Amino acid sequence: MKRLVLALDVYERERALEIARETSDYLWAIKVNWPLILGAGLDVIKELKETANVPLIADLKLADIPNTNRLIAGKVFEAGADYVIVHGFTGRDSVNAVKELGEVIIVVEMSHPGAEEFIQPVADGLIKLANDVRPFGVIAPATRPERISYIRSKLRDGIKILTPGVGAQGGSAKKALEAGADYVIVGRSIYESKNPREKARKFHEELMGAI
């Protein structure tokens, strides 16, 4: 089972498609964020899916009122996204507005240091929300494996944990899986590498060895 998610945070369409082609053999999914959508347009979602033949996660971190979330998510799912990442702190009505249209992934904690200021202190509430809403998965930080373990201990069975922060931010893919993550998200360490395919292969093998 593949566990690697490529965070393709580049602006250029051709570069994104080339990296997707080179790395697809080792990926479970590709995650696109605002940089690529703004740089290449929404159609890049469909192009990436056709190029790599893997699921596509739209990491929009939606955090608005239900109607606005619904309007945005509708276009993104229509473009071919399989999952949309949403913030939970706006409440279950905003999350459910997206979930009514397709699969959601809820941010429980983020991987950067600033997440400890405001998001981590309310993580228990976000975990409870996830348990009630039952999304496909949640986001937890590879930079703090102990938090992955904690979140896993509180989550309902069947809810996946996807964990960013591996590589450039200092997180360990192996430690993240050992702590309870299901999928590991890696971006800069792969797409800024001189050989993205080889780098993706190494992460894939590390993850396979950790199972």
Side-chain angles (χ1 to χ4, degrees):
M1 176 181 174
K2 294 175 183 175
R3 306 273 188 165
L4 181 61
V5 177
L6 171 62
L8 203 44
D9 296 334
V10 299
Y11 288 118
E12 306 86 1
R13 171 184 169 277
E14 286 302 325
R15 184 180 174 211
L17 294 174
E18 179 183 359
I19 295 170
R21 276 191 293 269
E22 291 175 359
T23 59
S24 61
D25 288 343
Y26 305 111
L27 305 180
W28 171 71
I30 290 173
K31 181 175 77 70
V32 298
N33 207 321
W34 287 109
L36 183 56
I37 291 174
L38 291 173
L42 202 53
D43 287 345
V44 77
I45 290 175
K46 181 180 178 182
E47 291 181 287
L48 284 169
K49 286 188 68 175
E50 291 174 347
T51 297
N53 194 31
V54 299
L56 200 292
I57 302 169
D59 184 7
L60 305 183
K61 295 188 178 69
L62 292 180
D64 217 312
I65 65 171
N67 188 60
T68 304
N69 272 4
R70 186 180 297 111
L71 290 171
I72 296 170
K75 284 295 183 183
V76 174
F77 283 124
E78 184 181 302
D82 298 284
Y83 308 91
V84 171
I85 295 179
V86 302
H87 271 299
F89 62 76
T90 50
R92 73 189 60 234
D93 54 349
S94 291
V95 173
N96 280 327
V98 180
K99 190 172 185 289
E100 289 167 4
L101 303 176
E103 293 281 4
V104 300
I105 298 167
I106 298 173
V107 177
V108 169
E109 287 192 33
M110 296 174 73
S111 54
H112 64 301
E116 294 181 274
E117 291 182 72
F118 299 110
I119 296 180
Q120 184 173 313
V122 298
D124 284 344
L126 296 173
I127 294 167
K128 183 180 185 304
L129 172 66
N131 285 336
D132 292 342
V133 172
R134 302 194 187 190
F136 169 79
V138 301
I139 298 293
T143 47
R144 294 184 288 281
E146 73 282 0
R147 296 300 298 167
I148 298 175
S149 296
Y150 178 80
I151 292 165
R152 170 56 71 201
S153 73
K154 301 292 184 180
L155 273 182
R156 279 182 182 272
D157 290 343
I159 300 176
K160 307 296 185 185
I161 292 179
L162 297 86
T163 181
V166 168
Q169 291 188 60
S172 161
K174 183 173 183 290
K175 288 180 180 179
L177 278 195
E178 290 173 347
D182 296 284
Y183 300 103
V184 169
I185 301 169
V186 183
R188 283 170 283 175
S189 293
I190 293 176
Y191 68 73
E192 290 183 350
S193 166
K194 291 181 179 179
N195 189 335
R197 179 177 175 82
E198 179 63 15
K199 199 72 173 179
R201 182 188 67 79
K202 288 181 178 179
F203 275 112
H204 170 71
E205 291 183 352
E206 180 183 355
L207 293 170
M208 290 300 97
I211 296 175

